[in-house]
Amino acid sequence: MQRCPSRYPIHLPITQPPGIDDWLVVESELGVDGMVQKLDQKLPVANEYLLLSGGVREGVVDLDLDELNVYARGTDYDMDFTLLVPALKLHDRNQPVTLDMRHSALCHSWLSLRLFDEGTISKWKDCCTIVDHINGATNYFFSPTKVADWFYDSISIVLSEIQKKPQRGMPKVEKVEKNGTIISIILGVGSSRMLYDIVPVVSFKGWPAVAQSWLMENHFWDGKITEEEVISGFYLVPACSYKGKKDNEWRLSFARSEVQLKKCISSSLMQAYQACKAIIIKLLSRPKAISPYHLRSMMLWACDRLPANYLAQEDYAAHFLLGLIDDLQHCLVNKMCPNYFIPQCNMLEHLSEETVMLHARKLSSVRSDPAEHLRTAIEHVKAANRLTLELQRRGSTTSIPSPQSDGGDPNQPDDRLAKKLQQLVTENPGKSISVFINPDDVTRPHFRIDDKFF
């Protein structure tokens, strides 16, 4: 990231461009997934979900975007979230776990159930690939594609039952689609449409050995948050390397750690990141090369590299934007973007020279007039917001009164929870927010912010 003053007068007119995710987290226990657990008892009874502000397409998690259908904010949805749902919750330190990385690229692994108890193996056998060894032993590898297929089928059954017997306060299911290993659901909640990208994952406590060396280095967050907060856990997400076997290979994800690190990033740098993401998310979308997650990794590396007092400058958002564009160009041309937590993993090494040169030319155009590209991105966001407001206005003139009104239909969706959740996320950046919902009565949620309940 460059440190010299900008030659271009760039003004970032909005603190947070509407429609750009704020990279916040909510831990929740949600009704639909509780019903999935009741269906066949596969999911952990006491589960812990991670709800991130922003959909998978926004790069909140390192997942492959090639198989995702295109949804447009304003046209298809108004708010978007990513929900990580643990299919396996491996938080017991006495439970031996075999991460088999012999067949995988860096930052990826197979997950063997060989050391698990017979009950767990029997429960998940239909979601495993089976490998028979010459010595007669059988190994069961937890399959991301089979888990995703099972999860989609289960969610479809549950949502179908919900639609047959709608309850007071239940949202309207507008769309359910399987995009590769991700299940995308659009729910109508009052006058809002909420997109949830639901990702089945494997949840771990602690820290993987392959990322242990990263802890030995100096980082920008040292002294600001504790190491225990950063290394509280990690995930396996259903994504494989470019030469990996889709049926067996998972990708290591440090989404929970990234939420903690976000607390230590200055508001002006976050503003620049959001602006840069708004510019590149469509510009570099085809052919797929640079994702918003790559940009996030570059920002974290910049935080480690640059002096803290420089990054703390409140009026340097324009400088930071130019710096992020320069970093992006440098990484692209050199086909080098190290994973922040596993630096020996280069996330761009698979790119072809043709793709690199195509996107490098696009970025050069952005760098020559970043202000104009930023204005265009902001106008797109404003147009999406206007469309959302227009659709909500039309809906409000034709819809049945809500359950709160005197003449309300008990089956009409109630958007109080959606609005409350959005308010909590906005007002408590970086904090852990829990939402406890009883599947049998979704109208009475209970909230916890950090250690406070209300």
Side-chain angles (χ1 to χ4, degrees):
M1 178 181 292
Q2 75 163 32
R3 298 179 57 189
C4 60
S6 166
R7 291 178 295 157
Y8 304 95
I10 302 177
H11 302 284
L12 307 185
I14 43 182
T15 303
Q16 163 130 346
I20 305 300
D21 81 87
D22 197 28
W23 194 3
L24 305 178
V25 62
V26 179
E27 297 171 56
S28 74
E29 298 189 7
L30 299 175
V32 170
D33 295 295
M35 297 174 193
V36 171
Q37 197 281 330
K38 291 180 180 179
L39 196 64
D40 57 11
Q41 308 297 309
K42 273 187 164 70
L43 291 181
V45 176
N47 216 350
E48 184 178 79
Y49 308 137
L50 195 67
L51 182 63
L52 299 164
S53 179
V56 167
R57 296 159 188 79
E58 297 285 331
V60 297
V61 182
D62 184 16
L63 287 168
D64 301 323
L65 307 183
D66 295 340
E67 297 180 321
L68 295 183
N69 291 333
V70 177
Y71 299 149
R73 186 185 296 273
T75 302
D76 300 303
Y77 67 91
D78 306 309
M79 294 182 285
D80 55 337
F81 300 90
T82 298
L83 181 66
L84 304 188
V85 178
L88 282 179
K89 181 182 174 185
L90 304 179
H91 290 191
D92 183 357
R93 296 186 183 275
N94 295 320
Q95 167 65 58
V97 177
T98 302
L99 289 181
D100 190 341
M101 300 184 180
R102 295 172 299 170
H103 314 285
S104 302
L106 282 167
C107 210
H108 297 81
S109 180
W110 294 21
L111 176 61
S112 171
L113 300 188
R114 180 172 55 88
L115 300 179
F116 284 68
D117 61 85
E118 287 297 325
T120 300
I121 294 176
S122 176
K123 183 191 300 184
W124 287 106
K125 187 180 294 185
D126 57 340
C127 291
C128 291
T129 57
I130 302 174
V131 177
D132 293 317
H133 297 285
I134 56 175
N135 63 2
T138 299
N139 205 345
Y140 296 91
F141 289 100
F142 206 46
S143 169
T145 53
K146 291 186 176 184
V147 169
D149 289 341
W150 160 80
F151 196 50
Y152 174 71
D153 291 341
S154 298
I155 283 183
S156 298
I157 292 172
V158 166
L159 292 178
S160 176
E161 290 301 313
I162 289 175
Q163 289 174 303
K164 290 178 184 177
K165 301 176 182 179
Q167 298 181 37
R168 175 185 171 89
M170 274 291 186
K172 177 185 177 183
V173 180
E174 298 193 356
K175 183 178 291 188
V176 182
E177 288 187 337
K178 184 172 179 288
N179 296 291
T181 54
I182 299 164
I183 296 92
S184 297
I185 301 177
I186 297 179
L187 301 177
V189 186
S191 59
S192 300
R193 296 159 301 162
M194 304 177 72
L195 167 63
Y196 289 92
D197 287 324
I198 304 180
V199 186
V201 301
V202 181
S203 175
F204 294 84
K205 281 290 186 185
W207 199 248
V210 69
Q212 199 67 35
S213 61
W214 177 78
L215 295 176
M216 303 297 106
E217 305 294 332
N218 294 324
H219 297 290
F220 72 98
W221 48 268
D222 292 338
K224 299 177 182 177
I225 53 177
T226 66
E227 185 174 288
E228 287 71 23
E229 290 177 281
V230 175
I231 64 171
S232 60
F234 67 100
Y235 298 97
L236 295 182
V237 297
C240 72
S241 59
Y242 283 84
K243 295 183 179 179
K245 190 173 180 181
K246 283 189 175 182
D247 287 343
N248 286 350
E249 194 170 81
W250 299 79
R251 180 173 297 162
L252 274 74
S253 170
F254 303 91
R256 186 179 294 277
S257 302
E258 290 167 358
V259 169
Q260 298 298 326
L261 297 184
K262 187 260 179 182
K263 300 176 184 178
C264 306
I265 299 175
S266 69
S267 59
S268 53
L269 180 55
M270 281 302 301
Q271 185 182 1
Y273 161 76
Q274 292 162 349
C276 191
K277 186 175 68 170
I279 293 172
I280 72 162
I281 200 166
K282 289 186 177 179
L283 183 70
L284 306 184
S285 61
R286 293 288 184 272
K288 192 65 66 179
I290 296 290
S291 77
Y293 188 82
H294 295 131
L295 180 63
R296 176 175 297 185
S297 300
M298 295 172 200
M299 176 180 65
L300 292 173
W301 282 118
C303 289
D304 273 357
R305 188 175 73 247
L306 297 173
N309 58 353
Y310 171 75
L311 292 173
Q313 298 292 326
E314 294 184 359
D315 56 348
Y316 271 32
H319 300 67
F320 298 154
L321 173 58
L322 292 177
L324 287 172
I325 295 172
D326 289 342
D327 279 2
L328 197 57
Q329 183 80 293
H330 177 81
C331 290
L332 187 60
V333 170
N334 291 281
K335 293 198 293 185
M336 175 61 71
C337 180
N339 182 284
Y340 182 66
F341 300 93
I342 306 177
Q344 58 270 36
C345 172
N346 176 14
M347 298 187 290
L348 297 183
E349 64 180 354
H350 63 279
L351 295 184
S352 67
E353 292 295 333
E354 181 182 6
T355 298
V356 165
M357 293 310 298
L358 173 64
H359 287 314
R361 285 194 291 270
K362 291 180 180 179
L363 275 178
S364 294
S365 172
V366 172
R367 190 60 173 83
S368 65
D369 191 359
E372 179 58 32
H373 283 84
L374 181 59
R375 281 192 291 269
T376 300
I378 291 173
E379 285 304 316
H380 286 162
V381 171
K382 289 181 177 178
N385 286 344
R386 286 195 295 270
L387 181 57
T388 293
L389 293 173
E390 175 62 20
L391 290 173
Q392 290 177 345
R393 185 189 64 78
R394 292 177 183 176
S396 65
T397 60
T398 58
S399 63
I400 302 172
S402 68
Q404 301 97 299
S405 62
D406 292 337
D409 182 343
N411 295 332
Q412 182 71 11
D414 184 352
D415 64 351
R416 287 175 295 175
L417 174 58
K419 290 179 178 178
K420 185 65 175 178
L421 181 59
Q422 186 66 20
Q423 178 186 354
L424 290 174
V425 169
T426 302
E427 294 178 353
N428 296 275
K431 292 186 179 180
S432 175
I433 306 174
S434 297
V435 187
F436 301 96
I437 302 177
N438 180 355
D440 298 324
D441 182 10
V442 297
T443 64
R444 303 185 64 181
H446 302 278
F447 298 94
R448 182 190 72 191
I449 300 178
D450 285 341
D451 295 325
K452 296 181 180 179
F453 290 83
F454 66 98

